[in-house]
Amino acid sequence: MTEQDFASIDALNDAMRQELTPGPGIGRVVPGEGPTPAAIAFVGEQPGDVEDQAGRPFVGPAGQLLDRALAEADIDRSRTYLTNAVKQFHFVERGKRRMHSKPRNTEVAHQRWWLWREIDLVRPAVVVALGATAGLALAERPVAVMRERGPMAFGNRRGYLTVHPSYLLRIPDSEAKHAAFAAFVNDLREVRRIGSLA
């Protein structure tokens, strides 16, 4: 298949649902969401439990934190495109709970083809990698988020590497969490400038 096979995001999503089937420890395909074209495309790691149940990206706790940061950076979420490098929730069952399981690098590489087709259809001015897994998918190499944070080329597209909002949720110290959130908002303001939304 080539990118010409997909006339729309809907056609791409239909093909992904046929190709990427759920199974033990792997949820359903959660497609990206947002307008096409969009000035900014945000790419996370994978859907979480809430996203798998809702069938929408970034609607769980990390998504709510992202919404707060977008609002502070004066970015309208409805004008952005949100998706994940890996389209299915990977999990380990512990009793009645489904615990997040990091996707393997081979899985990231396998689904990279779909991600690039998606980005081709969205045609963003800037692609934002939220965290190391998204960075790996887009840069096609391991990235050190804290060291390389900032503008980064992803193929022939302008990109930006920053933390995943779930990282902010895991910071135990309230003062450190506040500082990290402020730094994340500053990243988003720079993304907004690059995406010509300022």
Side-chain angles (χ1 to χ4, degrees):
M1 284 187 282
T2 67
E3 63 189 82
Q4 285 78 24
D5 290 332
F6 306 112
S8 68
I9 287 288
D10 287 343
L12 174 74
N13 290 338
D14 287 344
M16 278 198 297
R17 287 186 187 99
Q18 291 179 35
E19 174 76 16
L20 306 172
T21 55
I26 301 176
R28 63 175 167 163
V29 167
V30 176
E33 182 176 276
T36 55
I40 303 172
F42 289 97
V43 180
E45 179 190 84
Q46 67 172 339
D49 185 44
V50 175
E51 287 80 7
D52 181 58
Q53 293 180 51
R56 296 180 57 209
F58 290 96
V59 292
Q64 291 165 20
L65 189 65
L66 176 62
D67 286 347
R68 259 185 58 214
L70 288 172
E72 289 207 22
D74 200 22
I75 296 173
D76 182 350
R77 173 172 167 149
S78 69
R79 293 180 59 202
T80 70
Y81 189 86
L82 294 107
T83 192
N84 284 291
V86 173
K87 308 301 183 189
Q88 296 160 288
F89 177 42
H90 289 61
F91 60 90
V92 175
E93 293 192 67
R94 296 210 179 123
K96 293 184 178 179
R97 298 186 67 193
R98 301 191 303 171
M99 306 301 292
H100 170 277
S101 173
K102 187 176 174 70
R104 296 185 308 276
N105 287 359
T106 52
E107 188 73 9
V108 176
H110 176 69
Q111 293 199 25
R112 181 181 288 130
W113 187 90
W114 295 99
L115 177 62
W116 280 117
R117 301 290 79 71
E118 188 176 21
I119 289 169
D120 287 341
L121 288 163
V122 175
R123 303 191 304 280
V126 58
V127 182
V128 182
L130 298 169
T133 299
L136 171 65
L138 291 162
E140 302 191 15
R141 64 171 178 82
V143 297
V145 176
M146 292 309 185
R147 192 175 72 244
E148 299 183 75
R149 188 174 189 168
M152 178 180 286
F154 298 134
N156 61 355
R157 294 198 176 272
R158 296 179 82 179
Y160 198 97
L161 176 67
T162 186
V163 297
H164 193 286
S166 63
Y167 159 77
L168 304 174
L169 292 173
R170 294 192 299 268
I171 298 173
D173 179 74
S174 60
E175 193 172 317
K177 182 176 288 199
H178 180 78
F181 180 78
F184 183 52
V185 170
N186 285 337
D187 284 347
L188 296 184
R189 288 187 177 124
E190 178 66 6
V191 165
R192 182 172 180 266
R193 188 192 66 75
I194 295 170
S196 299
L197 294 181

